[in-house]
Amino acid sequence: MANRENFVAPKRYNTIAIALIAIGILSTITLYITAGSKDDPHQQARFWGSLLQNSVYFLLVVNAAMFFICATTLAWGGWQMAFRRVPEAISACVPVVGVIAGAILLSICFSSNHEIYHWTDSAHVAHDPTLDHKKGFLNKGFFATVTVLTIVLWSLLGWKMRKLSRSLDENPIPTVEGRKKYMWNNTIWAALFMIVFALTVMSSIPWLWLMSIDAHWYSTMYSWYTFASTFVAGMALIALFVVFLKNNGYLEHTNTEHLHDIGKFMFAFSIFWTYLWFSQFMLIWYANIPEETVYFKPRAQGEFSGVFWLMFIINFIAPILILMSRDSKRNYAVISIMAVLILFGHWLDFFQMVFPSPMTDPKTGVTHVPNILYDLGIALGFVGVIMFATGRALSKAPLVAKNHPFMKESLIHHT
Amino acid sequence: MSLLRYESQVRPPIVDGSKDYHQVTEDICAPVEAKPTKAWWIGFIISVALLLFGVVSIVVEVIYGTGQWNLNKTIGWGWDITNFVWWVGIGHAGTLISAILLLFRQGWRTGVNRAAEAMTIFAVMCAGQFPIWHMGRVWDAFFVLPYPNTRGPLWVNFNSPLLWDVFAISTYFTVSLLFWYSGLLPDLATLRDRAKLKWRKMFYGLAAFGWTGSTKHWQRHEALSLVLAGLSTPLVLSVHTIVSFDFATSVIPGWHTTIFPPYFVAGAVFSGFAMVQTLLLITRKVLGLKDYITIEHIEVMNKVIVLTGSIVGIAYLTELFMAWYSHVGYEWFAFKENRVNLSSPYGWSYWIMMGCNVLSPQVFWSKKLRRNLLLTFFMSILVNIGMWFERFVIIVTSLYRDYLPSSWSTYYTPTIWEIGFYMGTFGLFFVCYFLFSKFFPVIAIAEIKHILKKNGDNWKEGYNKEEGQNYDEFAHDNVHHDDHH
């Protein structure tokens, strides 16, 4: 097969992406008409909740690709160089999805509807001692500032890392000393990204964007849990694009060995997610303190129990049974199916993280599970956006970062 | 010709001194085959003395009961459980290095894994002493084993994390020991084959289990290593997770928090690496192994220390933040009044913990300081002081002010027997380590040979041609198209 170094999106690829975006827009409009445009704030929350769940989930997933790049850079990994341009291209979606998510988050924060973020209702907060106590953290100004700053920083630092990578495409570094200096430069920017990542994804951002939906409830594990959920989904997304490119005759020197290692990440971090899931769930169940169990009541036992246990089966039982074996991690079909399953499973996880609180009727106290088809439709829209943006980013630069100092290591990689 | 292995010259070598296979064997066997030095005897005798102090302290405690310690109704756990958790934590680095770093294909682990694994085993042995002797009526210790018995309906409490500890730690100890010992087999055979004295030949002959180095032996050895690495990886996480459950399943303010399991594991790796640094900085100097435990090894481990220290730091701040955010008065009191407040009785211990564990490791962001041996040695001790205080803070500052102010404890200081017991475990630890470093090769000879031709300084020059090639030339020479998809 001819050596194809530059990605040209097949016509069908862009058609599918645009069709998916159309489905997303259509679902959004339909959901807006059936729920979002109603006078009942509870109905409106159904609409905004879906936008929140989808935009935040997909933003964290595409940003996880840059986390993967920075983590492997700091660890001086070599094996991933063969397909390094794939996570780079995925991370190029961060500004796009970031703008969408930022707009949605700020709209919810500043709207007159307080069903999702109860703490935005100053009249309610005045009568709620707990929310009043949290005012120093849960307030609109702080939320907006942190949200904007975070999305800007992720985008900028990601852009810088991609720029560093592309700077070598036309200018190979001739000396070993020069290569060492290049690695050093990469290390510094990756470390900066990591610090920002630690202060946002690993701590403040999930508290603000997601945990504050259940504004009274708290769990120290929450942010690390959210990180695990989106990182494993991010690895699955990388796997999907690698398989797609291989199937279309690209990435000549990425082979089963690399796929095997990506599969190991999918497997290991599925188990890691389960570990954090279990730690959070078991400790709250064991201590049985009402202020804490209130979170799991509608999820594990109430209306959402179907979604809750289904996502547990998809995110834990399926990976441990299917991805444990060596053969399955080296099989393109199995990896593709599992990647789709993992992406869907953690999307379901976000579904049950977001909806139980806004779907509880404040008057009757009854919780109901919304019709998930709308949310799936909107999710497909985001998938389309990511396909389109990643495809564009892939076609802008050569698919192989040929001149990276560790590139050659990746070519004779054995697992 | 195409390469089977290749490494960029951008990476520094991790075996120095232009070694060949024979020289590796000579260097690492030399301290085992020489007579013990004066320094060794001095260190060994001091360790034995400490161990004896510990034995006396335990004897006193067994005869007169745990009343010999200053524990009371409110502070039911004090130095003993602090020491237990501290030692278990230290016992995490070895298996992390041997198992998880093996799965991550970190070549540098070969320089340090043997000593780190040995240290792990000794640390877990020390840790085990504390819950055992804390039982008071130690002759009933076998009650923790669940088996059909004649004591009527008296079974162990399967709901208790303390029982899970028994299972987790004994499993961890067993697998770590197997991993360490199976790794030793080829090296013990080397020592056997080199032995000139009859008793040495017999001793290493028995210890090597008849290893011949045949292909079949190596094949089984490799398969066993992979299986044990797979088993050890979840075990490394499980042990400190379950230790954290000892606290987190309760409803005690400062103990009941969901982040405890992963943060305990990060803290354990943090303290374990600090202890590896302490020991290896001495070992490489005394045994003359600087070519194998190089400055690169020290630097990489300092990176692990700054990483895990920062993870622990995020966890501390998360806990503190949530104590405020949760709006639970008791939780916030435990943090604000019992810990953060420097003028409270134990406030100083919280700030020692913060200073040693979170602030001080940040110096390792600097490459220059990561490669400074004196600073590394100082930091490695500072970190373990900090990690001891972490457990002390968790245990004592959460307990000493009970829900009822009438039960608030007076200031808790250990008795001489509590201190003696702790010193005794240092004795046990170092007696074991001295014996190990005298009778066993402290570096895995076979594993160094495995990476030598890729990572040895003299061998790296052999890649001059490849380093100079561009991507296409390199791919043309070395990649075979047997993977058509």
Side-chain angles (χ1 to χ4, degrees):
Chain A
M1 193 180 300
N3 199 353
R4 301 173 65 182
E5 291 176 357
N6 283 291
F7 176 71
V8 183
K11 221 173 185 166
R12 246 185 62 206
Y13 178 90
N14 280 335
T15 316
I16 292 173
I18 290 165
L20 288 174
I21 295 173
I23 293 175
I25 293 172
L26 215 66
S27 307
T28 312
I29 294 171
T30 323
L31 189 59
Y32 180 75
I33 294 168
T34 53
S37 63
K38 296 280 168 25
D39 290 335
D40 181 7
H42 184 57
Q43 291 270 337
Q44 293 169 2
R46 161 74 187 94
F47 171 71
W48 288 101
S50 188
L51 295 186
L52 171 75
Q53 180 229 341
N54 279 297
S55 64
V56 169
Y57 174 67
F58 286 107
L59 174 59
L60 293 179
V61 170
V62 290
N63 195 42
M66 187 39 74
F67 172 80
F68 174 74
I69 290 174
C70 291
T72 47
T73 301
L74 287 179
W76 279 44
W79 70 277
Q80 81 291 348
M81 286 315 304
F83 62 90
R84 156 87 180 245
R85 284 281 146 92
V86 175
E88 275 180 28
I90 295 172
S91 73
C93 300
V94 171
V96 183
V97 185
V99 167
I100 301 174
I104 291 169
L105 286 162
L106 294 184
S107 307
I108 297 173
C109 174
F110 288 104
S111 82
S112 56
N113 183 316
H114 311 297
E115 292 293 309
I116 292 178
Y117 294 141
H118 292 292
W119 50 267
T120 54
D121 183 355
S122 43
H124 174 72
V125 170
H127 297 109
D128 186 324
T130 300
L131 292 189
D132 193 51
H133 169 80
K134 298 181 183 188
K135 255 187 341 201
F137 181 72
L138 294 183
N139 64 70
K140 292 178 185 180
F142 186 70
F143 183 95
T145 314
V146 173
T147 300
V148 172
L149 196 67
T150 297
I151 295 171
V152 168
L153 280 175
W154 289 348
S155 305
L156 275 183
L157 290 168
W159 171 79
K160 178 70 196 175
M161 286 300 291
R162 290 192 294 277
K163 198 171 157 228
L164 271 174
S165 169
R166 286 179 194 175
S167 70
L168 293 190
D169 286 347
E170 302 299 328
N171 310 296
I173 311 170
T175 62
V176 174
E177 281 314 306
R179 289 169 197 169
K180 283 183 181 166
K181 221 173 138 193
Y182 173 78
M183 281 307 295
W184 175 247
N185 211 356
N186 267 272
T187 309
I188 287 178
W189 285 99
L192 273 176
F193 180 88
M194 235 16 135
I195 293 170
V196 172
F197 194 84
L199 294 176
T200 53
V201 181
M202 302 283 281
S203 50
S204 57
I205 281 299
W207 299 337
L208 281 171
W209 289 355
L210 297 167
M211 199 169 86
S212 78
I213 298 171
D214 297 80
H216 279 247
W217 182 78
Y218 53 88
S219 167
T220 42
M221 180 73 98
Y222 197 86
S223 294
W224 291 11
Y225 173 83
T226 311
F227 155 72
S229 197
T230 49
F231 178 58
V232 70
M235 288 310 299
L237 190 60
I238 294 171
L240 273 183
F241 273 105
V242 168
V243 171
F244 164 76
L245 290 170
K246 281 299 285 181
N247 282 344
N248 282 275
Y250 297 101
L251 296 179
E252 189 191 9
H253 296 306
T254 301
N255 55 37
T256 332
E257 308 292 331
H258 301 93
L259 195 74
H260 187 177
D261 273 353
I262 298 174
K264 285 180 194 168
F265 267 86
M266 284 162 58
F267 173 70
F269 280 88
S270 288
I271 308 303
F272 181 72
W273 171 86
T274 314
Y275 165 58
L276 298 191
W277 177 89
F278 176 75
S279 298
Q280 177 169 268
F281 180 79
M282 193 281 277
L283 288 175
I284 288 174
W285 166 81
Y286 198 112
N288 204 15
I289 300 172
E291 287 90 329
E292 296 181 356
T293 51
V294 65
Y295 179 80
F296 284 113
K297 188 73 189 162
R299 289 171 172 85
Q301 295 177 338
E303 297 297 321
F304 277 81
S305 60
V307 176
F308 185 79
W309 294 110
L310 176 66
M311 77 92 188
F312 181 75
I313 291 169
I314 296 177
N315 294 338
F316 172 57
I317 311 280
I320 199 173
L321 292 182
I322 298 169
L323 285 180
M324 175 86 90
S325 105
R326 182 175 193 270
D327 290 344
S328 63
K329 290 193 283 278
R330 298 173 77 87
N331 183 308
Y332 283 71
V334 176
I335 285 289
S336 308
I337 294 166
M338 284 310 294
V340 172
L341 211 56
I342 285 173
L343 277 161
F344 173 66
H346 289 281
W347 179 85
L348 266 187
D349 188 9
F350 268 60
F351 184 80
Q352 63 84 32
M353 279 155 84
V354 168
F355 278 110
S357 168
M359 285 298 99
T360 303
D361 193 314
K363 292 173 211 112
T364 59
V366 176
T367 308
H368 73 275
V369 183
N371 184 347
I372 204 165
L373 289 177
Y374 291 110
D375 309 275
L376 274 174
I378 296 175
L380 291 179
F382 277 92
V383 171
V385 170
I386 291 170
M387 269 179 78
F388 194 78
T390 307
R392 261 181 68 96
L394 281 173
S395 61
K396 272 190 185 161
L399 272 178
V400 180
K402 280 188 174 179
N403 297 323
H404 190 282
F406 292 158
M407 184 65 217
K408 285 176 265 178
E409 286 185 4
S410 191
L411 294 191
I412 45 170
H413 175 58
H414 312 283
T415 65
Chain B
M1 209 182 85
S2 69
L3 294 172
L4 277 175
R5 51 182 145 195
Y6 160 75
E7 192 183 84
S8 164
Q9 289 178 336
V10 172
R11 295 178 197 275
I14 49 179
V15 184
D16 288 341
S18 305
K19 305 293 180 196
D20 56 21
Y21 285 159
H22 179 66
Q23 197 58 41
V24 172
T25 312
E26 286 293 330
D27 288 349
I28 299 174
C29 291
V32 182
E33 289 164 348
K35 279 218 157 59
T37 58
K38 214 171 176 180
W40 187 91
W41 277 112
I42 294 170
F44 185 69
I45 288 168
I46 294 174
S47 309
V48 171
L50 279 174
L51 177 59
L52 289 176
F53 185 19
V55 170
V56 173
S57 305
I58 291 172
V59 168
V60 170
E61 187 261 338
V62 171
I63 293 175
Y64 299 105
T66 42
Q68 296 304 303
W69 298 346
N70 263 349
L71 301 177
N72 54 45
K73 247 185 99 175
T74 309
I75 304 181
W77 285 355
W79 266 49
D80 50 346
I81 303 300
T82 301
N83 297 336
F84 158 67
V85 181
W86 187 74
W87 275 120
V88 175
I90 288 171
H92 272 63
T95 310
L96 180 106
I97 290 172
S98 52
I100 296 184
L101 295 188
L102 177 80
L103 298 182
F104 276 118
R105 288 193 294 270
Q106 296 292 309
W108 61 272
R109 62 179 273 289
T110 49
V112 298
N113 68 336
R114 171 70 48 74
E117 286 171 40
M119 180 216 73
T120 284
I121 290 160
F122 307 147
V124 174
M125 279 161 52
C126 292
Q129 303 306 316
F130 291 95
I132 291 175
W133 300 106
H134 189 191
M135 288 179 189
R137 297 189 180 91
V138 73
W139 46 90
D140 285 336
F142 65 92
F143 276 29
V144 300
L145 303 174
Y147 63 95
N149 57 59
T150 53
R151 300 190 294 276
L154 193 61
W155 272 80
V156 290
N157 182 1
F158 285 107
N159 292 335
S160 166
L162 300 179
L163 180 72
W164 308 342
D165 265 341
V166 175
F167 304 147
I169 294 172
S170 53
T171 311
Y172 180 66
F173 181 74
T174 311
V175 174
S176 298
L177 189 67
L178 284 175
F179 208 162
W180 176 67
Y181 200 80
S182 60
L184 263 169
L185 288 176
D187 292 359
L188 292 173
T190 303
L191 284 167
R192 173 199 63 198
D193 298 342
R194 289 167 56 93
K196 304 232 164 54
L197 302 171
K198 203 171 170 201
W199 74 266
R200 287 184 73 94
K201 220 171 191 61
M202 223 170 86
F203 173 71
Y204 290 111
L206 281 172
F209 289 177
W211 177 274
T212 62
S214 74
T215 312
K216 204 75 208 164
H217 280 182
W218 277 111
Q219 211 174 35
R220 289 185 179 133
H221 186 261
E222 293 284 317
L224 179 68
S225 296
L226 198 62
V227 169
L228 286 177
L231 280 175
S232 302
T233 302
L235 280 176
V236 176
L237 278 101
S238 80
V239 174
H240 233 52
T241 293
I242 288 172
V243 170
S244 84
F245 287 169
D246 293 344
F247 305 99
T249 51
S250 74
V251 291
I252 306 287
W255 286 11
H256 177 65
T257 179
T258 48
I259 207 170
F260 254 30
Y263 128 55
F264 263 52
V265 174
V269 173
F270 180 54
S271 68
F273 268 89
M275 188 58 107
V276 172
Q277 293 280 41
T278 312
L279 290 179
L280 289 185
L281 282 172
I282 299 172
T283 305
R284 74 196 279 272
K285 196 170 161 85
V286 174
L287 302 185
L289 295 170
K290 289 176 192 170
D291 289 341
Y292 301 94
I293 304 167
T294 66
I295 191 83
E296 304 301 333
H297 291 85
I298 309 284
E299 192 192 346
V300 169
M301 290 196 283
N302 280 336
K303 284 182 186 171
V304 175
I305 286 178
V306 64
L307 171 70
T308 47
S310 302
I311 293 177
V312 166
I314 286 232
Y316 290 163
L317 296 180
T318 298
E319 268 190 321
L320 183 60
F321 171 78
M322 282 300 162
W324 168 81
Y325 179 88
S326 67
H327 199 219
V328 176
Y330 301 102
E331 193 76 24
W332 184 227
F333 185 87
F335 273 88
K336 181 165 170 277
E337 293 303 328
N338 299 352
R339 296 183 181 179
V340 177
N341 181 355
L342 192 56
S343 57
S344 71
Y346 296 101
W348 54 275
S349 61
Y350 184 79
W351 289 105
I352 289 182
M353 170 190 100
M354 277 291 191
C356 294
N357 293 350
V358 184
L359 293 180
S360 71
Q362 306 305 326
V363 300
F364 286 145
W365 283 98
S366 149
K367 188 180 173 82
K368 210 172 144 199
L369 297 180
R370 282 200 299 267
R371 299 171 82 90
N372 182 322
L373 297 183
L374 208 64
L375 178 79
T376 301
F377 189 72
F378 175 72
M379 280 297 307
S380 71
I381 290 170
L382 210 62
V383 164
N384 264 322
I385 293 175
M387 284 308 291
W388 189 88
F389 273 102
E390 179 196 291
R391 282 63 176 248
F392 181 82
V393 166
I394 290 171
I395 292 169
V396 173
T397 68
S398 274
L399 288 178
Y400 85 104
R401 282 173 173 169
D402 210 336
Y403 287 107
L404 284 174
S406 61
S407 321
W408 284 15
S409 167
T410 52
Y411 198 72
Y412 162 78
T413 41
T415 65
I416 184 73
W417 305 123
E418 282 172 278
I419 297 170
F421 188 4
Y422 184 41
M423 292 297 123
T425 51
F426 274 103
L428 176 63
F429 182 79
F430 281 106
V431 164
C432 291
Y433 193 78
F434 274 112
L435 289 174
F436 158 73
S437 65
K438 180 65 208 72
F439 292 103
F440 295 101
V442 293
I443 291 173
I445 305 172
E447 295 195 43
I448 288 287
K449 288 179 182 172
H450 187 71
I451 62 153
L452 185 65
K453 291 197 171 169
K454 200 170 80 174
N455 302 93
D457 54 355
N458 47 332
W459 300 94
K460 290 208 74 141
E461 286 160 22
Y463 291 125
N464 277 344
K465 179 184 151 216
E466 284 78 14
E467 190 70 36
Q469 282 180 324
N470 70 28
Y471 171 88
D472 294 307
E473 292 161 356
F474 182 88
H476 179 263
D477 283 0
N478 296 296
V479 181
H480 301 292
H481 294 267
D482 52 358
D483 187 54
H484 274 303
H485 171 59

